[in-house]
Amino acid sequence: MTEPGQGNNARTKPSPALEEYAPDMLGRRNQALNVFFAPQTVAVIGATETPGSAGRTVLWNLVSHPFGGTVYPVNPKRSSVLGIKAYSNVSVVPEKVDLAVIATPAEIVPGIVAECAAAGVRGAIILSEGFKECGPEGVTREQQILEQAGRSGLRVIGPNSGGVMSPVTGLHATCAGAMARPGNVGFISQSGALCAAILDWSHQEMVGFSHFVSIGSMLDVGWGDLIDYLGDDPKTRSIVIYMESVGDARSFLSAAREVALAKPIIVMKAGRTEVAARAAASHTGSLSGNDAVLDAAFRRSGVLRVHTIGELFHMAEVLAKQPRPKGPHLTILTNAGGPGVIATDALISHGGELAELSPDTMQALDELLPRHWSHGNPVDILGDAPPERFAKAVEILTRDPQSDGLLVVLAPQAMTDPGRTAEQLRPFAKLDGKPILASWMGGAEIAAGEKILNRANIPTFAHPDTAARAFTLMWRYSYNLNGLYETPIVPDPLEHAGDRALAGDLIRRARLAGRTILSEVESKKVLSCYSIPVVETRVALSEQAAVMAADEFGYPVVLKLYSETLTHKSDVGGVWLNLWSPTAVRKAYQAICESVTDMAGAEHFLGVTVQPMISNGGLELIVGSSLDAQFGPVLMVGSGGKLVEAYKDRALALPPLNTTLARRMMEQTRVFAALKGIRGMPPVDLPALERLLVMFSQLVIEQHWIKEVDINPLLLAAGKQIALDARIVVHGPEVSEESLPKLSIRPYPSQYVAPWTMNNGLDVVIRPIRPEDEPLMIAFHETLSDRSVFFRYFHPMRLTQRVAHERLIRICFIDYSREIALVADWKDSQTDAQEILGVGRLIQSHGNKEAEFAVLVSDKCQRCGLGTELLRRLVHVGCEEGLDRITGNIHPDNRHMLRICERLGFSRKYSMEEGLIRAELNLRH
């Protein structure tokens, strides 16, 4: 695949990563966590016979629920527990222990973990309490546990964990009473008490689980680890989370984003806190609250957030049974008017829309239904509707191209037959890209019908408003995923950035001067370095200088306070608008000086800035960024101007942005309707605004000393966009570079961009892949021969399969924290036509520092050294990313790839089982 048109490595089967994400594969299995769900030997440390104790309860649960393994009580003070021989220490257990469940006082847990590590135990569940929630002493204990566990690679769930269940295998390593029912929902909770309540609820509602985990304080194993594990688990169809804190934000978002496309992740987050960061004394900070940031993070990772326990499990069921809607338009079919109205109210109030029935649909319904049917949506087919009328109406409505989903509501009346009607709906359980939901209202008389529908995978709801709400949640989930994986349709705006080095220098000079606030002029210069248009602004340190600047600009002008200490100029009388003469300029200068001196002190007045008065005939936005304690820098856009706090119309997003994500961010605001044009006002240039937001995102990413930045207002008028005011706050000298807040999503790794000349003389740029590359990847696959494809994937694969959007999004929309794909990008100097000539991919395994590689080169560019260079750069990336080794599988006939690996120092070993040669390179010597 490399040089002579062949070769290419793939990976160990069935790693979808190097199969470039075959749709039927889910990911690389996180073998390290298997010990918590399928152990062969379990030691209960702290096992006791004391009634009601954790040590007794968990031991009894383990031995009374066979899981295919052996249980060993560990208690130095007893020879047996519950009639089972006990051992004084985990090291003297006659078998090597896979999993230790620790139920001892907190003060001795670090020592026990050290003993487990020395004995080769692979996993520990710490049930004990008394750690960081108890203060500094508890924090010290946690640090000791991490240190001891890290020495042997021991993985830890807890402390404060309620334990782990795996109902499918029978493992019951918890302090709960009853065992969960087996099923296909993976459940993770931070609250042990809630776990018990959920268990009781699930037995009543007949909800089953593949795995049931009380994660505790997440000292080691966190959300990301378990999402990865459940994402790879074939028994898990959806993941349900009760969350109290995010923990490692980057790990959570990275795992969720990868898994959510294949399996729904539904989260209930407790503690919807009040608005935070008001102390930041900035427009941006005061508008960014913790809970709103969390919502933005969930949107960015494809996670669906709900607010009740019922919704948590309803959505797990619905999304596992029915396809995601392609739009917000729902058709409601009912045999009673009232329930249809109730469903409509719920639909509209939660962001959905009624589908407008097409003329063909209306005609077909007119021919089918009685004369007095509703003649609109909701479709009321009247109370005397027999099962056949329901079924024929459903058949007509499913064909309507303007409908994205269907809700069938049955209200039991004297002439209805809920059971037969349900039977008639069974053939419609699997519609092409449209979910179908049902609300069978009533009591015992509709139970049989509900059972029929549920067995047919048509979700049922007791009330029509609950069903409508479920549809809107499905649409929100689909909308968020579509936004993540919709290919940006414009060129990369980062290629046209301005002087970023100058921006960094302006910030550096301010910090060296001991300042944390950039002046308005400096702030605008930083923005202009990122190609963000700003109004021309000059500093005037005297009345005469202000008049001279105004004369040069032409009247009217604006005067503003020039200060290196005050940021909100209007609060101290520091802004004068519409100045039409030199006299007005002098008067404004004097007024600003007097007002600032009186209200803040003369030392805060350095002069004024002068800028042309831009007539306000357009829309004013605010664009900003501030810091969140959990997620680091957060972006904001919304209605701007003087009433920004009054409107509180803003949307938040996590950087980095591309143009698609920028558009989705704007769509979250109320002002977006006006941006598209309203009441005679023409629409603004939305693509240009998207690019501006992307550049602003890049500014926040690259200038990491910035603490807060906002543009208010950003004026959009007459086909232009211009920043009229800007404010930047930087971190003070007390903040070291190591302690700067980290981005929760890794940005584009531009450090791996570098030019290279192929042996045939073509100059290419080898760079990490981008979402915008999807069209180029389609063209690239069109250049590949069947032989090249076989050496890459080890089996034939049709072009249509290789270039399907569902597959290419897995290739182009990658998480740079988990994998790096390098492409060889060639641009024709005469035509500017762009082409990808080769791809090298390095994908890290879950839970360790090992990665698999793959290389694929266009047939016309083989034997030109490109395959060798791509693999050499992948080795460099592996070293830079801190990996221990990289591996890959190579077909034995792919001799050229084998020779490349030999030249680069890879060892090679033939696998009889797979019929492939495994190449391996250790990066740590």
Side-chain angles (χ1 to χ4, degrees):
M1 167 66 280
T2 26
E3 316 240 335
Q6 316 173 14
N8 150 33
N9 350 336
R11 34 111 217 219
T12 54
K13 308 180 207 171
S15 169
L18 295 184
E19 182 124 2
E20 306 221 306
Y21 297 107
D24 57 335
M25 304 284 192
L26 291 178
R28 301 159 303 286
R29 189 118 175 113
N30 190 344
Q31 298 288 347
L33 296 193
N34 275 343
V35 67
F36 293 108
F37 304 101
Q40 295 302 304
T41 51
V42 180
V44 179
I45 304 175
T48 177
E49 294 188 354
T50 304
S53 66
R56 186 191 191 282
T57 304
V58 73
L59 177 62
W60 173 252
N61 283 339
L62 282 164
V63 299
S64 60
H65 295 83
F67 62 92
T70 308
V71 182
Y72 295 97
V74 174
N75 188 326
K77 298 179 180 180
R78 299 185 63 93
S79 60
S80 67
V81 180
L82 299 180
I84 308 169
K85 178 178 173 57
Y87 298 85
S88 61
N89 189 288
V90 70
S91 63
V92 299
V93 171
E95 289 186 86
K96 184 176 180 180
V97 173
D98 293 329
L99 175 64
V101 183
I102 302 173
T104 67
E107 56 267 21
I108 65 173
V109 171
I112 290 172
V113 171
E115 294 171 357
C116 289
V121 178
R122 295 189 294 123
I125 301 172
I126 302 176
L127 307 180
S128 313
E129 300 176 351
F131 293 89
K132 64 184 177 185
E133 74 276 9
C134 296
E137 187 177 357
V139 172
T140 300
R141 290 176 188 145
E142 291 191 353
Q143 292 170 343
Q144 293 170 344
I145 290 171
L146 276 179
E147 181 180 347
Q148 297 297 337
R151 291 177 178 175
S152 66
L154 170 70
R155 300 305 306 271
V156 176
I157 289 180
N160 295 309
S161 168
V164 171
M165 288 185 197
S166 188
V168 175
T169 65
L171 179 73
H172 189 351
T174 80
C175 295
M179 178 70 157
R181 296 172 57 86
N184 52 35
V185 175
F187 178 64
I188 317 169
S189 172
Q190 268 183 300
S191 168
L194 185 73
C195 283
I198 291 292
L199 274 176
D200 290 342
W201 177 88
S202 68
H203 283 288
Q204 294 176 7
E205 299 293 324
M206 306 293 285
V207 174
F209 300 91
S210 58
H211 301 291
F212 196 96
V213 184
S214 172
I215 197 172
S217 301
M218 300 190 297
L219 179 61
D220 173 31
V221 175
W223 300 118
D225 298 296
L226 289 170
I227 289 171
D228 278 332
Y229 184 87
L230 296 176
D232 291 341
D233 176 39
K235 295 185 288 293
T236 301
R237 292 177 62 185
S238 55
I239 300 170
V240 168
I241 292 174
Y242 172 78
M243 176 184 289
E244 293 177 349
S245 63
V246 174
D248 186 337
R250 179 174 283 191
S251 173
F252 168 75
L253 295 176
S254 181
R257 183 181 180 277
E258 178 173 304
V259 172
L261 195 62
K263 298 182 181 181
I265 301 174
I266 304 103
V267 174
M268 179 181 173
K269 169 66 171 67
R272 304 186 71 190
T273 61
E274 71 276 4
V275 174
R278 292 193 182 278
S282 73
H283 296 306
T284 302
S286 67
L287 291 174
S288 301
N290 286 346
D291 204 60
V293 175
L294 190 65
D295 279 338
F298 287 156
R299 284 195 301 271
R300 184 61 182 271
S301 57
V303 168
L304 175 63
R305 183 180 187 178
V306 299
H307 299 301
T308 69
I309 292 174
E311 286 182 346
L312 196 64
F313 289 97
H314 276 149
M315 295 315 300
E317 175 192 12
V318 171
L319 290 169
K321 288 181 176 180
Q322 288 291 313
R324 301 191 304 268
K326 297 178 180 178
H329 306 98
L330 178 66
T331 302
I332 301 171
L333 173 68
T334 178
N335 68 339
V341 173
I342 291 171
T344 300
D345 284 343
L347 176 72
I348 302 302
S349 63
H350 289 104
E353 300 177 30
L354 282 175
E356 183 176 345
L357 302 180
S358 68
D360 289 344
T361 298
M362 291 292 292
Q363 180 178 345
L365 290 174
D366 274 334
E367 294 172 358
L368 168 70
L369 300 178
R371 185 163 54 95
H372 298 295
W373 78 279
S374 61
H375 292 86
N377 186 13
V379 179
D380 184 353
I381 61 175
L382 305 182
D384 63 349
E388 293 75 18
R389 188 187 298 171
F390 267 97
K392 291 177 181 177
V394 167
E395 182 181 3
I396 292 169
L397 294 173
T398 58
R399 297 196 300 263
D400 194 308
Q402 297 174 179
S403 176
D404 300 310
L406 181 62
L407 168 59
V408 183
V409 182
L410 182 145
Q413 301 182 43
M415 60 290 293
T416 56
D417 188 333
R420 281 189 56 225
T421 303
E423 283 286 355
Q424 293 282 329
L425 296 191
R426 289 179 61 185
F428 304 102
K430 293 184 178 180
L431 302 177
D432 185 18
K434 292 183 182 182
I436 179 169
L437 310 177
S439 175
W440 255 224
M441 302 174 65
E445 68 271 25
I446 55 89
E450 276 192 330
K451 190 173 183 179
I452 291 168
L453 292 169
N454 286 326
R455 285 181 173 175
N457 282 340
I458 298 177
T460 63
F461 299 86
H463 307 292
D465 52 341
T466 309
R469 164 71 171 157
F471 175 81
T472 62
L473 289 171
M474 295 177 78
W475 163 238
R476 185 195 305 168
Y477 178 67
S478 184
Y479 173 85
N480 291 344
L481 283 179
N482 292 344
L484 289 180
Y485 296 108
E486 181 181 315
T487 305
I489 59 175
V490 298
D492 178 16
L494 304 185
E495 294 179 355
H496 309 291
D499 190 349
R500 302 177 189 180
L502 174 58
D505 190 52
L506 287 166
I507 293 170
R508 181 183 59 82
R509 289 205 302 264
R511 295 186 74 249
L512 287 175
R515 292 192 286 125
T516 58
I517 298 175
L518 271 63
S519 69
E520 179 186 353
V521 173
E522 291 171 324
S523 297
K524 287 178 177 177
K525 284 183 180 178
V526 170
L527 294 178
S528 65
C529 288
Y530 282 80
S531 302
I532 297 174
V534 299
V535 63
E536 185 177 357
T537 304
R538 298 183 191 175
V539 175
L541 303 182
S542 66
E543 285 185 35
Q544 186 59 33
V547 171
M548 291 177 61
D551 288 341
E552 292 180 19
F553 281 134
Y555 295 91
V557 296
V558 176
L559 258 63
K560 299 180 184 178
L561 166 68
Y562 176 60
S563 173
E564 294 179 345
T565 53
L566 298 179
T567 60
H568 296 306
K569 297 175 283 292
S570 58
D571 292 346
V572 291
V575 179
W576 282 61
L577 308 175
N578 280 310
L579 304 176
W580 284 89
S581 67
T583 301
V585 169
R586 292 189 179 92
K587 180 180 177 181
Y589 187 98
Q590 295 167 4
I592 291 173
C593 178
E594 292 172 3
S595 177
V596 172
T597 300
D598 291 342
M599 299 179 68
E603 68 275 14
H604 298 288
F605 178 83
L606 301 180
V608 299
T609 62
V610 185
Q611 64 186 55
M613 179 70 197
I614 307 295
S615 59
N616 190 355
L619 292 169
E620 292 184 338
L621 299 186
I622 179 172
V623 178
S625 174
S626 61
L627 297 179
D628 179 79
Q630 295 181 109
F631 294 99
V634 178
L635 305 174
M636 183 194 71
V637 66
S639 301
K642 293 181 179 180
L643 298 179
V644 60
E645 279 94 354
Y647 290 141
K648 292 186 178 179
D649 171 31
R650 85 282 188 269
L652 306 180
L654 301 179
L657 296 181
N658 59 33
T659 51
T660 297
L661 293 171
R663 173 71 67 97
R664 288 302 179 93
M665 185 182 179
M666 291 187 289
E667 289 173 355
Q668 300 294 319
T669 65
R670 293 192 297 273
V671 75
F672 183 70
L675 296 178
K676 294 186 294 183
I678 189 171
R679 293 188 177 180
M681 181 181 295
V684 304
D685 187 345
L686 285 175
L689 183 54
E690 290 168 11
R691 291 190 291 272
L692 183 146
L693 292 175
V694 173
M695 295 311 308
F696 185 82
S697 165
Q698 198 65 18
L699 162 65
V700 171
I701 290 168
E702 293 182 349
Q703 304 303 332
H704 50 271
W705 286 107
I706 290 179
K707 184 178 180 180
E708 298 171 15
V709 51
D710 58 52
I711 305 170
N712 186 32
L714 175 70
L715 181 65
L716 306 176
K720 65 181 178 182
Q721 49 192 10
I722 188 166
L724 301 186
D725 203 353
R727 172 183 177 278
I728 293 178
V729 179
V730 298
H731 291 281
E734 74 283 358
V735 179
S736 65
E737 188 160 8
E738 294 73 25
S739 63
L740 286 172
K742 301 298 189 293
L743 292 159
S744 53
I745 298 174
R746 183 175 178 178
Y748 186 80
S750 56
Q751 67 269 31
Y752 298 132
V753 179
W756 185 70
T757 302
M758 296 169 55
N759 294 346
N760 62 1
L762 282 182
D763 293 323
V764 298
V765 174
I766 297 180
R767 58 168 176 80
I769 202 166
R770 299 184 303 228
E772 293 86 346
D773 290 327
E774 183 176 349
L776 296 177
M777 286 298 297
I778 293 174
F780 167 70
H781 274 275
E782 292 171 348
T783 69
L784 301 176
S785 66
D786 291 342
R787 182 176 177 83
S788 292
V789 171
F790 178 80
F791 276 129
R792 173 61 182 84
Y793 305 108
F794 305 146
H795 59 78
M797 187 182 293
R798 297 189 306 274
L799 175 63
T800 54
Q801 182 182 356
R802 286 183 277 127
V803 301
H805 174 68
E806 293 74 15
R807 185 171 174 277
L808 287 180
I809 60 177
R810 292 285 199 175
I811 295 171
C812 300
F813 293 76
I814 64 174
D815 186 323
Y816 300 114
S817 294
R818 291 171 170 252
E819 63 180 289
I820 299 290
L822 301 177
V823 296
D825 184 356
W826 174 71
K827 181 176 287 188
D828 190 313
S829 59
Q830 295 182 340
T831 65
D832 280 340
Q834 196 173 357
E835 189 175 353
I836 287 177
L837 304 179
V839 184
R841 193 172 294 272
L842 194 65
I843 304 172
Q844 187 169 350
S845 302
H846 296 162
N848 59 46
K849 293 187 176 182
E850 182 175 315
E852 296 173 278
F853 71 89
V855 177
L856 185 58
V857 173
S858 174
D859 283 63
K860 63 185 178 183
C861 294
Q862 292 167 4
R863 300 181 183 273
C864 295
L866 182 55
T868 301
E869 183 63 19
L870 284 170
L871 185 54
R872 180 182 290 114
R873 294 206 185 186
L874 290 179
V875 171
H876 169 73
V877 169
C879 293
E880 291 295 308
E881 299 294 315
L883 299 178
D884 291 336
R885 69 185 59 82
I886 62 175
T887 63
N889 287 340
I890 305 171
H891 196 281
D893 292 342
N894 193 352
R895 299 181 182 88
H896 299 282
M897 189 72 242
L898 291 171
R899 283 199 290 269
I900 291 171
C901 289
E902 182 180 10
R903 287 199 296 271
L904 295 180
F906 284 77
S907 64
R908 293 166 297 163
K909 184 177 180 180
Y910 182 72
S911 169
M912 294 288 292
E913 179 182 356
E914 296 185 338
L916 302 172
I917 294 175
R918 181 178 178 82
E920 181 174 312
L921 180 66
N922 289 320
L923 304 180
R924 298 285 178 265
H925 299 288

